[in-house]
Amino acid sequence: MADELKRRLVHASGSGLVALYLLANYLEVGLTWDRFQLLMVVLAIGALALEFVRLRVGLDWWIYEKLTREYEQEKIAGYGLYMISMTVVVLLFEPQIALPAMLMLALGDPISGAVSDNTLKRVKGPKVLVTMFVVSAVLAAPFLHEYPFAILAAALGATLADGIKLSIRGYIVDDNLTIPIYASVLAWLVLWFL
């Protein structure tokens, strides 16, 4: 249980990237969206490099024992997928779409995990789905307040990614990869069509 709490806290720390961008933007200290995109690319490359060293060279730091799950021992860990998905949405979408999608992964996912019974089901229970939807909508509202349907679409995307296990050829796709992407794509589609 203590390790799970640590994982959730590390997960939530990703919200610091959003806070960094917003604070720098507010203080006008020069962290433009282009520079933030570059920062995210550098962080994602760093995470993938660590994963390469862990999986191919055999880097065995104690932190991997504490923060990775058993099923991640032989494949890319959740934090690598987390950085990839956040970077993808930052590169493909405007801040008003990408930033709340990042928060849905950083904060929404661990909150929904806290109310989950942690059983492996194809579709999570109603309590988890409702929690993820509400938290995601609350996180999207400050960024998309002029577009209520985009808020709902982003929250729906995050909820679907978190709540329904996607399996491709027997491989379970980690929601760390899908939450920001689904949320961003659905919000973008609503903004595009409305």
Side-chain angles (χ1 to χ4, degrees):
M1 188 64 174
D3 287 345
E4 193 59 36
L5 179 60
K6 290 174 190 167
R7 281 188 203 99
R8 289 197 176 121
L9 290 173
V10 169
H11 221 284
S13 71
S15 61
L17 293 167
V18 175
L20 172 68
Y21 175 75
L22 293 174
L23 184 61
N25 196 27
Y26 176 76
L27 297 174
E28 298 177 0
V29 293
L31 185 59
T32 63
W33 188 244
D34 290 339
R35 289 178 181 163
F36 186 68
Q37 290 173 318
L38 179 61
L39 171 65
M40 293 301 298
V41 168
V42 168
L43 292 173
I45 290 171
L48 291 175
L50 281 174
E51 279 300 281
F52 177 81
V53 172
R54 179 179 74 89
L55 294 170
R56 299 288 182 222
V57 178
L59 181 65
D60 192 24
W61 288 342
W62 65 269
I63 196 164
Y64 287 124
E65 284 183 33
K66 297 292 181 188
L67 298 179
T68 58
R69 294 188 168 100
E70 179 136 351
Y71 64 85
E72 296 172 321
Q73 299 304 314
E74 301 299 321
K75 63 180 187 171
I76 189 167
Y79 80 92
L81 300 173
Y82 180 103
M83 288 308 303
I84 290 169
S85 66
M86 283 193 172
T87 302
V88 165
V89 298
V90 165
L91 292 175
L92 296 180
F93 299 98
E94 295 298 314
Q96 74 179 43
I97 293 175
L99 295 174
M102 292 171 69
L103 289 174
M104 290 174 198
L105 176 58
L107 300 175
D109 190 28
I111 290 171
S112 77
V115 300
S116 174
D117 60 7
N118 290 324
T119 58
L120 294 175
K121 299 178 194 172
R122 177 151 161 58
V123 179
K124 293 183 180 178
K127 180 171 74 171
V128 178
L129 297 174
V130 169
T131 299
M132 184 63 175
F133 184 83
V134 170
V135 169
S136 296
V138 167
L139 293 169
F143 299 91
L144 295 165
H145 58 88
E146 296 176 7
Y147 310 100
F149 288 115
I151 293 169
L152 298 176
L156 177 63
T159 303
L160 291 173
D162 180 59
I164 300 173
K165 293 284 180 226
L166 177 62
S167 177
I168 299 174
R169 294 184 179 183
Y171 176 79
I172 303 291
V173 180
D174 194 310
D175 63 4
N176 285 334
L177 186 62
T178 56
I179 289 172
I181 294 170
Y182 284 22
S184 295
V185 168
L186 289 185
W188 180 81
L189 286 171
V190 167
L191 291 175
W192 176 262
F193 287 109
L194 296 181

